[in-house]
Amino acid sequence: MAMAHTELDLQERVAIQRMLEAKLPITQIAARLGRHRSTVYREIGRNRFEDEELAYLNGYYGVVAHKSAQDRRARRRKLVRLDTLRDHVVDRLIAGWTPEQIAGRLSHEGQAIRVSHETIYAYVYSKEGQSERLARHLPSRRKKRRPRYARRPRDQVFPPDRSIHQRPEHVKTREKFGDWEGDLMIFERSTGKMNVASLVERKTRFAVLFRNNDRSSTHFMITLMNVMEPLPQPARRSITFDRGFEFRAWRRLKADIGTESWFCDPQAPWQKGSVENLNKRARRYLPRDTQLAALSNRNMKAICDRLNGTPRKCLGWRTPTEAFRDEMMKLR
């Protein structure tokens, strides 16, 4: 029997905080709460505390998360609870005004209570708004709202100061150890939603492959941080990605583990040539029809060991494993 949807309560959010502090994996946290793991991933992503000036305070706090969720819910329900305000907004929508115009004019029209254009959009696409067919009055007339990442201008998701052209010169020349390139290897749709993340350290060509069970950016970044965090900070100074939507939560890398992110130009994957080369070599062992669900962690490690154990001309015929080990020894 399917359970009705219920919001996380304060007790559950405090439990999530304690389990995160205990370094429990998300899947285990979800199992202990009796929730789906995507619910826990979404909760952490939406209600995590962030402070740009005091980054050391960033993290998930149960009480803070609960208040954020309550405030968000109260804002969204404002147009359901307040008849006069709702009627005013709906009248303007029918007259052809955009949600931005309606929200911007509220203070000029004697409305004591304000709502943002996001709240109006949320109401239009809510169960109540859909029953009134309010979306047909919007300029776009979409029956469903586009995903948030699709509405966000790309230069905000990947700002100019994170461009590959702003990378320090030593990253380009491979002089220093600890700068990586990252990508995703995609497989046939019939094999499921899983994919394989590929990472390569630019100086040593050392490769890391791990299975990624969900294309959500938050899920990918959490998994990536779990893989990278055991390395000392100088060994994970930066990662260069392309502009795929899976990498849009890149800010978490700097906030959580101190790793910088850089991004190729649009439609220019060749600018991260090391990981593109790795993907081509890895395809010998991971063709597009690979059944990833049947691939164990031991299998994945065996593939990495084979790639890293092959001598490379660019390393003076050393293997990536040998080059990586030498660089790690220097950090001790």
Side-chain angles (χ1 to χ4, degrees):
M1 182 176 176
M3 291 180 62
H5 170 74
T6 56
E7 298 284 340
L8 288 166
D9 58 26
L10 175 59
Q11 185 177 356
E12 288 176 301
R13 290 186 166 106
V14 171
I16 290 174
Q17 176 187 338
R18 289 173 178 166
M19 286 188 274
L20 286 174
E21 291 170 350
K23 304 293 185 184
L24 291 184
I26 301 298
T27 303
Q28 193 171 338
I29 294 175
R32 292 193 179 188
L33 293 176
R35 297 279 188 170
H36 194 277
R37 63 180 181 274
S38 63
T39 300
V40 180
Y41 277 118
R42 185 167 55 247
E43 166 64 21
I44 295 169
R46 294 175 75 185
N47 294 323
R48 187 176 185 279
F49 177 76
E50 299 280 354
D51 190 315
E52 293 182 1
E53 295 183 0
L54 302 174
Y56 67 91
L57 292 177
N58 292 347
Y60 183 86
Y61 305 102
V63 175
V64 176
H66 192 64
K67 186 176 187 307
S68 296
Q70 286 184 316
D71 290 347
R72 187 186 305 109
R73 194 174 187 189
R75 288 196 300 272
R76 289 181 177 176
R77 305 304 292 175
K78 199 178 285 185
L79 290 173
V80 175
R81 292 184 288 106
L82 305 175
D83 295 346
T84 302
L85 180 61
R86 180 180 66 249
D87 292 343
H88 177 85
V89 168
V90 171
D91 285 346
R92 295 297 184 270
L93 283 170
I94 294 173
W97 290 29
T98 68
E100 288 85 354
Q101 291 167 335
I102 297 170
R105 284 287 298 181
L106 285 174
S107 62
H108 296 279
E109 296 181 340
Q111 292 292 330
I113 300 175
R114 318 281 173 79
V115 289
S116 70
H117 66 278
E118 283 290 339
T119 300
I120 297 174
Y121 273 115
Y123 178 75
V124 168
Y125 289 107
S126 69
K127 181 174 64 177
E128 294 85 359
Q130 288 179 338
S131 68
E132 298 179 53
R133 298 177 63 202
L134 295 179
R136 61 182 171 157
H137 301 300
L138 297 175
S140 64
R141 298 191 178 184
R142 289 191 184 92
K143 291 183 180 180
K144 292 184 178 180
R145 199 170 192 196
R146 293 170 65 193
R148 180 166 294 182
Y149 68 83
R151 291 185 271 121
R152 197 173 178 185
R154 282 277 169 163
D155 60 352
Q156 291 182 24
V157 180
F158 307 112
D161 64 345
R162 293 287 99 192
S163 165
I164 194 170
H165 303 293
Q166 303 299 319
R167 284 191 315 186
E169 187 66 18
H170 67 76
V171 181
K172 179 180 178 181
T173 59
R174 306 178 191 265
E175 293 174 21
K176 293 185 178 181
F177 173 64
D179 295 301
W180 298 71
E181 293 178 10
D183 200 10
L184 286 180
M185 298 175 64
I186 307 302
F187 295 80
E188 291 180 0
R189 183 170 295 180
S190 60
T191 65
K193 294 183 179 181
M194 294 181 180
N195 50 50
V196 170
S198 52
L199 297 167
V200 61
E201 200 283 318
R202 283 176 56 80
K203 184 176 182 180
T204 63
R205 271 65 168 192
F206 186 81
V208 175
L209 301 175
F210 62 88
R211 187 169 54 192
N212 181 45
N213 297 335
D214 189 330
R215 293 191 68 182
S216 138
S217 186
T218 299
H219 179 280
F220 170 76
M221 286 300 169
I222 290 174
T223 307
L224 174 60
M225 290 188 291
N226 288 339
V227 170
M228 298 294 285
E229 192 169 18
L231 293 173
Q233 182 67 51
R236 48 174 169 82
R237 289 180 297 133
S238 77
I239 306 179
T240 299
F241 303 103
D242 61 31
R243 299 185 180 227
F245 72 87
E246 297 91 350
F247 310 127
R248 69 185 186 277
W250 59 270
R251 290 175 175 84
R252 298 194 63 160
L253 287 178
K254 178 65 173 177
D256 290 10
I257 64 172
T259 300
E260 298 282 0
S261 299
W262 306 103
F263 296 95
C264 300
D265 292 332
Q267 310 301 320
W270 52 267
Q271 291 178 333
K272 51 179 179 58
S274 295
V275 76
E276 294 291 323
N277 180 272
L278 166 63
N279 290 348
K280 289 178 183 177
R281 291 186 293 118
R283 282 294 182 192
R284 295 171 59 188
Y285 315 106
L286 295 168
R288 291 184 177 275
D289 60 355
T290 301
Q291 297 294 323
L292 294 179
L295 199 67
S296 68
N297 291 337
R298 181 177 294 181
N299 295 144
M300 194 70 75
K301 183 178 185 303
I303 294 172
C304 288
D305 289 345
R306 179 170 288 192
L307 292 168
N308 290 325
T310 303
R312 303 289 299 275
K313 182 178 180 180
C314 59
L315 299 175
W317 301 114
R318 290 184 301 162
T319 67
T321 295
E322 292 168 341
F324 190 83
R325 186 184 300 130
D326 290 345
E327 293 293 337
M328 291 291 286
M329 290 293 290
K330 294 175 185 177
L331 299 179
R332 292 183 178 177

